[in-house]
Each structure stands twice: as structure tokens, then as C-alpha cells.
Amino acid sequence: MIRPRIPVNPLPTGIVTPLITTAPAPAPVEQHHAAACACQHTTPAPLPMAPASSGTAVRLSPAGVLAVVGGGAAVVLVVGAVLVSMLLAVAITGASVAVCAVVLRSLLNDPRKR
């Protein structure tokens, strides 16, 4: 009853989507003949290489570290204040609904007892 049902397509559509995509094959590199051949080969220009990274991309001065720490602390304080105020609003609303329920119950039960 609670088991999931897997839909079965009785008529396949013929469209097959591969689950794993492969990278395109690199272009074949042409091998040159001897240096004095008669054909007119041109050597391709070498591709520019990306500069090697030094490991750390961001270096902060002591003032920058203090600014980041201060900004992080400010964000934590603001988010904490917002969350606490939301929790307080929910608690006050719950308490007021409970008081209203008790007052209504006492008003509705009094005529029966008298």
C-alpha cells in the first residue's frame, strides 16, 4: 500500500539520454616529417599557459583580519537578535492565545454551573 510505484513506459520514445557525459576528444596532433620536406607545414602557436597559483589566493593584513572578524561578529549578532525576536514573538502569541482560550472556556462554562 505504501510502496512506491515506478512508472513503466510501454512504448519507448527512442530518445536515449546518456547518464554519463564524456569530454570531447582532443584534436589530433599532426606529426611533422623531416625538417627539409617539400610540403608547407606550419607549426601551431603554443597555447598560453595559466600562471601557477601560489596556494593562497587572499592575503590579509592585520587590519583586514580585524575587519573580517568584526564584520562576522556583527552579522552573527544581527542574525541572533532577529532569531530571538522571532522566538519571543511566537512565545507571546502562544501565551495570548492560551489566555484567550482560558477566558472563553470560563465564560462558556459559567452558565451551565449556575
Side-chain angles (χ1 to χ4, degrees):
M1 181 174 142
I2 302 178
R3 293 182 183 171
R5 296 183 182 173
I6 300 172
V8 177
N9 189 3
L11 300 173
T13 59
I15 300 173
V16 178
T17 305
L19 295 177
I20 300 173
T21 57
T22 58
V29 178
E30 183 178 325
Q31 298 293 329
H32 291 289
H33 306 289
C37 74
C39 57
Q40 305 222 346
H41 287 279
T42 58
T43 58
L47 296 174
M49 298 296 289
S53 64
S54 63
T56 57
V58 178
R59 292 190 179 232
L60 294 175
S61 64
V65 171
L66 288 177
V68 169
V69 169
V75 167
V76 166
L77 289 175
V78 168
V79 169
V82 168
L83 291 177
V84 166
S85 64
M86 289 173 65
L87 180 64
L88 185 61
V90 169
I92 290 173
T93 304
S96 65
V97 168
V99 168
C100 289
V102 168
V103 168
L104 283 175
R105 182 178 172 195
S106 67
L107 287 175
L108 293 174
N109 285 338
D110 273 346
R112 289 189 215 156
K113 290 182 179 179
R114 289 181 185 177

